[in-house]
Amino acid sequence: EVRLVESGGGSVEAGGSLTLSCVASGFTLGFNAMAWFRQAPGAEREGLAAIYMGGGTTFYADSVKGRFTISQEKPKNIVILQMNDLQPEDTGIYYCAAGAGRPWTDLLDRQWVEYWGQGTQVTVPS
């Protein structure tokens, strides 16, 4: 059974930091990429950061570049999202995602995602 389990959400003041973790298990061949998406109230789910699990290549949305860092812990299939300088617009449900990326895949677009975690709430009060 494929599972993605997120942890680390919560509420933090503007300018603060949070660290999200996602543990992936049950995957077979073909799984090579993981990512974090965010869904704000009333908005579409958007890609924030992604990583290829083999080589460690990373991708970031412009909205989080320089503030968020995605990393992996091998060989445990754990992906970390370090979030600094959080702002009220970062509020939302954060989802871990996994699947098989290809060289032409836009990992910040949800179309490649095969598996989703249950989501974890991040709140930054204004």
Side-chain angles (χ1 to χ4, degrees), residues 14-120:
S17 299
L18 283 174
T19 302
L20 304 182
S21 298
C22 176
V23 180
S25 61
F27 284 89
T28 58
L29 295 177
F31 154 65
N32 69 345
M34 294 183 69
W36 287 95
F37 286 71
R38 175 176 68 206
Q39 189 159 18
E44 295 288 324
R45 194 172 296 187
E46 61 171 333
L48 302 178
I51 186 167
Y52 277 108
M53 301 298 282
T57 303
T58 57
F59 305 86
Y60 295 95
D62 288 343
S63 60
V64 304
K65 202 171 293 183
R67 300 188 299 125
F68 291 11
T69 302
I70 189 170
S71 60
Q72 59 180 321
E73 292 186 6
K74 292 181 177 180
K76 298 179 180 179
N77 282 345
I78 297 174
V79 170
I80 307 294
L81 185 68
Q82 175 64 44
M83 305 185 294
N84 298 325
D85 190 25
L86 284 160
Q87 300 299 319
E89 54 265 33
D90 293 315
T91 294
I93 301 174
Y94 283 64
Y95 295 92
C96 180
R102 298 292 183 265
W104 55 86
T105 301
D106 179 0
L107 294 184
L108 299 181
D109 185 315
R110 61 182 296 178
Q111 292 186 13
W112 67 277
V113 176
E114 298 174 56
Y115 303 101
W116 295 96
Q118 79 284 358
T120 185

